[in-house]
Amino acid sequence: MTLRLASAGESHGPALVAIVTGLPAGLLLDRDAINADLRRRQEGYGRSPRQQIETDEIEVLAGLRHGRTLGTPLALVVRNRDHKNWTWGMNPWPPEGEPEGKGTKAVTLPRPGHADLAGVLKYGHDDVRNALERASARHTAVHVAAGAAAKALLGTIGIEVAGSTVEEERLRAEIDEARKERDTVGGVVEVRARGVPPGLGTYATKEDRLDARLAAAVMGIQAVKGVEIGDGFDLAAKRGSAAHDEIRTDRRRDTNHAGGLEAGMSNGEEIVVRAAMKPLPTLMKPLSSVDLATGEAAQALVERSDVAAVEALAVVAEAAVAWELAVSAHEKFGGDSVEDFVAAWRAYVERIQWR
Ligand code: EPS
């Protein structure tokens, strides 16, 4: 059974939901570990006051018994605590009573860089909020929870995935400067996966190439504008003799320009994926836009926002990479139970004598 992930949830709606199908039975999930990842996602430097409202916690509604997966769909929920301020504005049903709280007035001032303009044009909305709520990065919370389950599965075969920001100190200084100037910043994050055996993914079909899947998964995260694997864009300027990782007799490499991926397959070296995040588009000093209600020139919407969410992206990208690796690992090793999955992995690494 293929591992699948579906999610739903608006930023200020009642909750974020993920349904994970295809996880083998018997996988031990650690509530504290999932909550720790949710917390890491919230704690990054430069986040908005919204993070003081939200204290994300995982709820599991199905697929788990006494901490172990049942092999049935796993239903994960993260409640939006801020929803209490939006019960009229984001009510799934026609709200009763007088408008109160947030989200009661239509937003008509699209922000350059956000989903606002193309979203309302595409879907025919007359309130930008109908587009921005789902486009918001808020729902990455539940993807982090799904990523924690993926990391648990990968852990059974010795794979570890970790995300971090690149140049954290410089980033923090830039955030301080930008906050003073009421601006926003982006940055670069890196995810590394250790212990991945050679042969996850395949060159056989384009959509099953592990590099393509990782790139799509990371590019699919809000505000990501670039993804590279290994030396990525720098490889274009190198000679072949300097770009490729020579193979030793033990089949390992001394260099890792390829970032652990060759021809869409893992090659046994560390997988290295980097993502470039653009500066967040909600600015306290707004950019020029148009008022969609009048057609007149106007300033874009100003609302509470983060100065940066790069540290959060490191956690979200870690979850996305973990998820794709879990999908590819489960495709390769299969198994309805974790025991079968681990046994197939063990037989494989023994066959190829991989240490
Ligand atoms: C976001 C805007 C901010 C962020 C939000 C993503 O939310 P709000 O408008 O409620 O202040 O804080 O991210 C989260 C809430 C989160 O948990 O990551 C956006 O427009 O994308």
Side-chain angles (χ1 to χ4, degrees):
M1 200 177 172
T2 307
L3 268 177
R4 289 207 170 85
L5 167 60
S7 76
E10 277 72 42
S11 180
H12 304 99
L16 311 164
V17 183
I19 308 273
V20 175
T21 52
L23 275 179
L27 178 66
L28 191 63
L29 295 187
D30 176 350
R31 178 164 42 185
D32 292 343
I34 301 174
N35 284 332
D37 276 351
L38 293 178
R39 189 119 291 277
R40 280 171 65 219
R41 193 197 70 90
Q42 291 196 275
E43 274 170 356
Y45 202 67
R47 299 308 304 278
S48 97
R50 171 79 186 272
Q51 298 310 323
Q52 285 146 31
I53 303 173
E54 304 298 341
T55 40
D56 292 341
E57 257 175 31
I58 193 64
E59 263 178 68
V60 178
L61 299 188
L64 199 66
R65 183 162 186 238
H66 303 166
R68 284 195 188 268
T69 56
L70 294 169
T72 58
L74 180 70
L76 304 171
V77 173
V78 176
R79 305 240 171 229
N80 289 323
R81 293 184 205 260
D82 198 20
H83 180 66
K84 65 177 186 300
N85 302 311
W86 298 73
T87 49
W88 196 98
M90 285 303 294
N91 201 312
W93 298 108
E96 286 168 13
E98 289 305 302
E100 59 164 16
K102 297 188 169 185
T104 54
K105 279 201 215 91
V107 177
T108 61
L109 305 169
R111 290 159 295 174
H114 216 296
D116 305 357
L117 180 59
V120 293
L121 295 175
K122 175 179 170 67
Y123 290 100
H125 295 313
D126 53 11
D127 183 350
V128 166
R129 182 156 304 285
N130 288 338
L132 72 84
E133 281 284 331
R134 176 63 180 166
S136 161
R138 169 69 189 149
H139 83 256
T140 58
V142 83
H143 283 255
V144 166
K151 285 194 290 179
L153 182 64
L154 294 171
T156 65
I157 57 170
I159 298 175
E160 282 173 25
V161 188
S164 61
T165 55
V166 174
E167 296 193 43
E168 184 173 288
E169 262 173 47
R170 198 181 55 86
L171 174 70
R172 290 189 171 198
E174 269 180 24
I175 292 172
D176 290 339
E177 282 301 305
R179 190 193 303 279
K180 274 189 235 148
E181 288 159 27
R182 302 165 72 219
D183 215 331
T184 59
V185 294
V188 177
V189 304
E190 182 175 276
V191 182
R192 290 175 174 263
R194 297 184 186 86
V196 181
L200 297 196
T202 172
Y203 48 79
T205 57
K206 195 171 165 180
E207 61 275 17
D208 295 327
R209 293 178 72 104
L210 183 53
D211 49 2
R213 288 183 178 181
L214 291 171
V218 174
M219 185 64 93
I221 303 167
Q222 286 79 355
V224 171
K225 293 299 261 186
V227 180
E228 64 177 8
I229 289 175
D231 289 354
F233 275 72
D234 284 349
L235 283 172
K238 284 191 174 135
R239 290 267 183 95
S241 53
H244 298 295
D245 306 304
E246 290 184 292
I247 304 171
R248 301 190 313 225
T249 53
D250 66 356
R251 299 164 299 164
R252 305 302 296 247
R253 324 289 177 103
D254 291 320
T255 57
N256 188 19
H257 302 298
L261 286 150
E262 289 169 319
M265 294 173 293
S266 57
N267 66 4
E269 300 305 313
E270 195 172 45
I271 289 185
V272 184
V273 182
R274 268 185 293 275
M277 185 183 215
K278 68 183 180 183
L280 300 174
T282 310
L283 301 179
M284 297 302 123
K285 252 185 340 199
L287 297 175
S288 298
S289 184
V290 58
D291 187 333
L292 296 172
T294 63
E296 301 291 322
Q299 304 274 279
L301 170 71
V302 177
E303 47 170 41
R304 175 187 66 190
S305 182
D306 311 281
V307 178
V310 186
E311 292 183 35
L313 174 64
V315 181
V316 177
E318 169 186 307
V321 167
W323 176 262
E324 292 305 325
L325 290 176
V327 171
S328 292
H330 193 256
E331 269 170 13
K332 174 121 184 71
F333 304 122
D336 294 315
S337 78
V338 169
E339 264 176 50
D340 294 347
F341 173 75
V342 173
W345 164 77
R346 189 162 290 126
Y348 174 67
V349 292
E350 270 168 26
R351 173 172 75 73
I352 65 168
Q353 296 181 10
W354 192 259
R355 311 251 164 263

